[in-house]
Amino acid sequence: MYCWAGAALGAQTAQLSFKNLGTEAGLPSSEVYVSYEDHQGYIWFGTDNGLARYNGYDFDIFDSRHGLQDVVVFSIVSGPENTLWVSTYTGRVFYLEGDQFVPYENNDILLDIKRNTPFLVILGVEPSGSLILNVRHEGILRLTRNGTQEWLTDRQQDAMYLVEEIEGRNNGQGLTSINKGNLVFPMPWVRQDSLVIHTGNYNEWSEKHYLKLRKEPRLPYVSYGAKFNTEGPWDLAFVTTRFFYGKLKGEDIFSVPLETNAVNYMMPDNQGGIWLCSSLGSGLLHLAFDPETKQITTMDSLLTEYSISYCMYDRQGGLWISTLDKGVFYNAFPTTVACPMRQKLPNSRALSVALVEDEGVYAGFANGELHYVDFNSMESRKIYPNDPAQEENLFKFYEVFYDKAYGRVHTSKFSFLHPFPQNGSESDLQRYFSPEGGRVKPIKRLSIPWDSTAGELGFSASIEIGTLDRASGRVKDFFSTFDGKDVQGPQYLYVDKGGKNLIGTLHGLYELEESLEIGRPDIDFSGKDERVEVIHQLKNGAYLFGTRGNGIVYFDPAGKERVINIDDGLASNMVRDFIVDEEEVIYVATLNGLSVFRLTPDGEPLDVRSFGQEHGIVSDEIHGLEVAQDVVWLATSEGVMRFSIPPKDTTSYPPIITEITVDGTPTLMDSRIKLRPGTKNIQIDYCAIDFHQEGNIAYRYRIDSEDEWTQTDGVSVIYPQLRPGTYHFEIASKSRDGVWSTPTSFSLIIPQLWYRTLFAQILFALMLISGLVVAVLRYGHNRRKEQTLLIQINNLERSALQAQMNPHFVFNCLNSIQSFILQDQSMEAVSYLGLFANLVRQTLNASAKGTHSLREEIEMLDNYLRLEKLRFKEVFNYGIHQAPDLPLDDYQIPTLLIQPFIENAVIHGMKERESGGRIDVYFSMEGSELEVSIVDNGPGFQKQHGFPRKSMGIEITRRRLEMMPPTPDGRKRMELETLRDFEGKVAGTQIMLMIFTRNLSE
């Protein structure tokens, strides 16, 4: 329950149109404790079954599958770098990384603290990573990363601490911390008549207030309090059992009687009032205050059947209400409120409204009742019917019109002077009678002629038209010849600037001529046969015709016609009424919402804006309207409401790229994405977070800046076959008022398949040309090359013997060359012979000098391995690797020390393989020692029966190594190891050599 003393009114039920989001919409639970808006605009909800993130389309659920080990979430805050932090029922804290929650490193300490308190939640996260915690009945605690605990409040003092600012919280306010002392669980009962209130930053309490509490019938308790940092008038507020205590900026704390159930949260609104979230089914309360008297002027209650846990405004000004039993409620325009006296108005369609300046508003209903709402008292009074006789002859109030110039209210059946007497009767009503004395049928529409100083109003009924005297309200002229004629149903009578009597009918536009004949006027526009509901002539002489089905037609004296319809942004082509104000702003009531726009001098619509239920209007079916500045009074199928035109939405939020899928696999999102060649299918998912549009958002996108924009209302784009190239994808969203956002963009690179590149095509062409040239030359020179090769073989045999090379190697090389010749493979023979000659020359030079540089050694080994690889028909591959900082020309080593080991790896390690062989040689420096590692993937040295016992070359090399100085670390100069895989099988051989070198640069 709720009440307050000294107020003139009881609680009223305000009309805010809410959208409910519950489990049927995807929320994991209907029990919601807190809501939070992050830096991207997502709304997060903490429930008893996980965390939910809402983007205006659907929910993403985070629970134990995402690392959130405790799914009952009580608090949500933002930490450094916009990281999301949550605290749970157990007291443990988690933070979000990517799409997974990570447990806080000091959760064990939080569990210990929670054992001694009924409630522990996170208030904020400092840049250092320290947590600021609210410990119920204890105070505010800082917990550092290293586990240090620091109390920021006096735990011994009976006091209430209102935190001035906590970074990362919504709504610009902190939370209340009520110390232990005399305030005990479950409610912080106050056992004394005074309370100390500390306010400020939790690092420094800058203000202290000593407050004497007002006497209450029983021990009071403080259910909630807050320090506000918004731009409004409020400084702080808190609620006890029977009173509301508040403080406006620069003034003292005041109190007003207020009885309500426990308050879970409070928040200032945007108009100087306060929202209270009450539990135990009290709903959401809104208090409006008089800043002078410090008294509650109005108290509205909403969602009274639910327990409200939290409320917040989003960045667009929308109001989010969290409940403990019905999920979440949302209103996009909370400043737009239907008539607060609706509960005293009839439960029937409102057909017409008439505004009496700043005094009040008359409303006519389909059930035959006429009411007046006084703006000062907000009391509603029934004007008609007011006695049983009148109730027997009820009719629909199609029209209510207040004539300011004469102070008279005209309705469908009678008129009267404003204000209608408090005890008014039938004698105060001026009924409509024709000049012949017959009753006029209920008037559907009244109109002021173009000459607003004229003394008559035009009217139209079902089969009648005429004029009313504005002063007396009596029928002056009457015409009733529509019955039985081809022209049916007059809807509107309008006298234009030239004195023409234009009639809008069910069958189009007609004119009542001076001869009292009905004919077609000389206004020839395309929609002249459509049903015309309302007519108006602008200052420039142009006409506006409101039609049922063709929107609004503009027709100027020069004959220019312009149809303004849904394609221009009009809410509907079914126009019910429109008003043109003094600035010639046009307000249009349609059967699908309200539209507002201006016209350019040549009749083009400008800034067309349309509003419906998504903007807070209680019904899209609007039958009548009145305008006062930016406030529009609407007669709708759901009653009467006051609608404030919201400012034009010039902010359009850029879409968020939520996922990029390449051939069915999600890829990492970046500003520049390079894909693999041959990519076939690319899907880009996105969404703009604009809750005002409730998922009906228009987008435009393109894949290249030179392309035209493609418009869509979908949230994904698929490119099934993009050709290789560099693309620049852009996606933008449109606000409800037609403003396009800054595009969200990224670059997309799809490389060409290598064999389709220009380089590959040139290479293939050169290879083809070279092949043709070789084929032509080969035949003519083949015999001469054979003779030359045989002579070179004889010379190389002598040189190889002199170099004391392995005769088997020489013999095998010569056989290979001869085999190439016999098989008519001259090119291979030439290549092989060149390599062999180079190796012989290198060996002869090395034998003569005794030492050579490390570079020469590596070149000689490379030649040798290339020859053996050719000879073994590509049975193996090899690699020679040196450390990046190895100075190849500065060190001299003895010749022919390494080659015997490599020869052994080739002959014994590769002889049993048919393919897949591998030999790798590694060079690095350890001080003055050259470390050489030779690795092969052969059968291991246990199976190499000739090695090391029978290899003469290796035996000589071993002795040469032993004659070198000892290594600095005592290692052997030659070590052998059999390599094994993870199953223990032999995987090859590794030989480690330590060779003493001489540095020429020293």
Side-chain angles (χ1 to χ4, degrees), residues 608-609 648-652 693 698 700 733-741:
V608 179
R609 302 178 65 196
K648 186 173 182 180
D649 188 1
T650 59
T651 301
S652 186
Q693 301 192 65
R700 64 181 184 183
S733 62
K734 187 165 66 172
S735 73
R736 68 179 188 276
D737 287 323
V739 178
W740 287 104
S741 72

Side-chain angles (χ1 to χ4, degrees), residues 862 865 877-881 918-923 933 935:
D862 183 69
L865 284 168
N877 283 314
Y878 71 92
I880 298 177
H881 318 276
R918 183 73 188 182
I919 298 173
D920 287 283
V921 186
Y922 300 89
F923 293 87
S933 174
V935 181

